[in-house]
Amino acid sequence: MTAQLIDGIALSAQLRIQVAQRAAALRGRGVVPGLAVVLVGDDPASQVYVRNKVKACQDNGLHSILERHPAALTEAELLSRVEALNQDPSIHGILVQLPLPAHIDAHKVIEAISSAKDVDGFHVASAGALMVGRPGFWPCTPYGCMKMLDSIGYDLKGKHAVVIGRSNIVGKPMAMMLLQKNATVTICHSATADLKAMTLQADVVVAAVGKRNMLTADMVKPGAVVIDVGMNRTDDGKLCGDIDFNAVREVASFITPVPGGVGPMTITMLLVNTLEAAEQM
Ligand code: GUN
C-alpha cells in the first residue's frame, strides 16, 4: 500500500481562505486583528520562522509587527516589552520566538504574556485549560496536526495513538488533544525501553523528536496514519522530518510530508488563534 499524502499546503490554503474572511469581518467592525512577533538574537532558523509568520499575517488580512532585539537584551527589558504589548490595544496576539538566549528565563517571559494574548498556547493557563478541557489557546503545531486528522475524516475514538516526544510545545499538548478525541494515548520519549514495540501497536503515530529517520518502516503497523512534526536537514542540506518517508510511505495509509506538511499548518493555526483572540476582545 502506498500512503495518501496529507497535504499541509493545500489544507492551509483552504483554512486561510476562512481566516481571511474572518479577518475581513473583523475589519468591517473596526477591529484589525494584530499579532506581535518578538525575536531576540539572530538565530538563523528563528529568523526564517518569524519572517514566515509575519508574511502569513500580511497575506491574510492581519496586522503584524516584528520586534527584533539584540541577543544582549536583558530579561528585564524583554519583560517590559511584553508588558507594553499586553497593554497595546492594536495587538491581540503576542508570540515570543523560542529559543531565547540562555540568560533569559523563557518560562518567566511566557508567563508574562497576558493569557488573553497567548496565541502560542504556551502559557501555564493555556496548558491547564487544555488539560481540563476548558476553552483556551491550543499550541499551534499539535492543533495543526489535529486539523490534518480532521481533514481525512479520521475518527480517533478507540484508536491507539502513539506520540513520540514529550515537549511542552508539541508532545504533551498533542497527547491531550488526542485524548480529548477519545484515543488511547501513549507518550514515548528518549527513555522509552522499546519504542518499536509501542509504535507497532499504533493506529496513529505522531513523531516529534527532531531526529532524522527515527521512525522507520519496520516500526509502523500496516495502514497506520503517520504524522511527521520533525524539522531536520539531510547531509546535503534539504529539509526533512523525523520519518524515513519513502519507506514508511509504503506501509502507512496516510502520511504527512516534510516540507509541506505540519509546517504550514503551524502558521495557519497561529493565524486562527490570533483571530480568535481578536474576536474575543
Ligand atoms: N520555536 C519553535 N517553534 C516555535 C513556536 O511555535 N512558537 C514560538 N514562540 N517559538 C517557537
Side-chain angles (χ1 to χ4, degrees):
M1 178 199 286
T2 299
Q4 289 187 54
L5 287 189
I6 310 178
D7 180 342
I9 297 175
L11 181 56
S12 282
Q14 275 177 30
L15 294 171
R16 288 182 196 193
I17 291 171
Q18 296 164 18
V19 164
Q21 286 167 348
R22 283 168 70 182
L26 274 169
R27 285 200 310 276
R29 287 170 25 206
V31 177
V32 182
L35 174 71
V37 178
V38 180
L39 176 63
V40 184
D42 44 22
D43 176 67
S46 290
Q47 293 194 33
V48 174
Y49 295 150
V50 299
R51 219 179 299 133
N52 290 341
K53 290 169 184 175
V54 169
K55 181 170 186 306
C57 284
Q58 288 162 352
D59 291 348
N60 293 283
L62 283 76
H63 162 64
S64 177
I65 57 166
L66 172 57
E67 275 199 25
R68 292 167 174 277
H69 298 286
L73 187 79
T74 66
E75 183 180 284
E77 286 167 334
L78 180 55
L79 289 170
S80 95
R81 280 311 306 146
V82 167
E83 188 45 36
L85 292 168
N86 282 341
Q87 302 299 331
D88 183 339
S90 74
I91 294 300
H92 305 96
I94 302 171
L95 181 152
V96 178
Q97 185 67 23
L98 303 178
L100 287 167
H103 65 275
I104 298 177
D105 179 349
H107 176 73
K108 205 163 160 186
V109 173
I110 289 166
E111 289 309 298
I113 296 171
S114 157
S115 61
K117 297 190 178 187
D118 175 37
V119 289
D120 251 336
F122 294 169
H123 203 285
V124 167
S126 302
L130 171 59
M131 179 94 164
V132 298
R134 301 292 302 164
F137 294 112
W138 282 10
C140 302
T141 298
Y143 193 6
C145 294
M146 293 304 285
K147 288 281 179 194
M148 293 179 107
L149 290 170
D150 273 357
S151 77
I152 59 166
Y154 194 80
D155 183 5
L156 283 157
K157 185 175 176 187
K159 297 295 197 311
H160 188 187
V162 170
V163 178
I164 317 172
R166 54 176 156 178
S167 69
N168 291 334
I169 294 181
V170 184
K172 283 190 239 174
M174 184 82 249
M176 285 301 134
M177 291 173 200
L178 293 162
L179 185 61
Q180 204 174 96
K181 294 287 181 188
N182 299 311
T184 299
V185 182
T186 301
I187 306 177
C188 297
H189 47 79
S190 52
T192 295
D194 188 348
L195 178 63
K196 181 176 170 180
M198 296 295 153
T199 57
L200 276 175
Q201 295 176 35
D203 302 303
V204 177
V205 182
V206 181
V209 175
K211 196 166 138 201
R212 204 175 126 193
N213 290 337
M214 62 84 43
L215 190 78
T216 49
D218 59 309
M219 299 168 74
V220 176
K221 179 163 94 171
V225 176
V226 180
I227 297 187
D228 194 346
V229 180
M231 280 270 212
N232 311 299
R233 295 270 168 194
T234 62
D235 291 337
D236 47 10
K238 285 201 193 110
L239 199 61
C240 69
D242 287 351
I243 290 168
D244 179 5
F245 180 81
N246 289 326
V248 171
R249 190 177 183 180
E250 298 307 320
V251 182
S253 59
F254 288 92
I255 191 168
T256 69
V258 177
V262 173
M265 291 299 295
T266 295
I267 299 187
T268 299
M269 301 328 291
L270 174 66
L271 302 178
V272 168
N273 280 348
T274 303
L275 274 177
E276 232 133 75
E279 285 167 352
Q280 284 164 18
M281 267 180 212

